[in-house]
Amino acid sequence: MALAANDLRDKSPDQLREQLVDLKKEAFNLRFQQATGQLENTARMRIVRRDVARVKTILSQKAAEAATGSDASTEA
C-alpha cells in the first residue's frame, strides 16, 4: 500500500526520517530477494521506490518552509 502525501505532511521531520530509513531497508530487502529469485511481488519495488521519493520530497518541502519562515521573521 502506497503512502498518502497528506498523511506524510502531518508527520514531524524526525518521523519522516525514520519512515525513510524503514523504506530504504525494505527496498534493500526487496532488491536482495529479487537477486536471489525469491521476490514474488515485483510491483512492491516500484511502490517502495515511489514512497521513498515522496518522503524525500516532503522532507525537502518542510526544510524549505522552515528556511523561508526563519528568514522572514528575521527581516521584519
Side-chain angles (χ1 to χ4, degrees), residues 4-5 7-8 18 21 31 33 44 48 52-53 55 61-62 66 68-69 73:
D7 294 339
L8 293 174
E18 188 175 311
V21 167
R31 283 194 310 270
Q33 287 175 13
R44 183 70 186 146
V48 170
V52 166
V55 170
Q61 287 173 350
K62 285 184 179 277
T68 58
S73 62

Side-chain angles (χ1 to χ4, degrees), residues 1-69:
M1 182 171 88
L3 300 172
N6 289 333
D7 294 339
L8 293 174
R9 284 191 178 91
D10 294 337
K11 293 185 177 187
S12 72
D14 288 336
Q15 290 173 320
L16 288 172
R17 284 187 206 95
E18 188 175 311
Q19 180 92 40
L20 186 60
V21 167
D22 292 341
L23 286 168
K24 286 189 173 192
K25 284 180 185 177
E26 183 176 357
F28 173 81
N29 288 332
L30 289 171
R31 283 194 310 270
F32 196 86
Q33 287 175 13
Q34 185 183 35
T36 59
Q38 297 174 347
L39 184 61
E40 294 179 10
N41 184 4
T42 56
R44 183 70 186 146
M45 291 182 71
R46 181 179 187 183
I47 293 168
V48 170
R49 196 169 59 242
R50 288 184 177 191
D51 285 346
V52 166
R54 195 171 288 121
V55 170
K56 284 183 173 183
T57 300
I58 293 172
L59 268 172
S60 65
Q61 287 173 350
K62 285 184 179 277
E65 287 173 11
T68 58

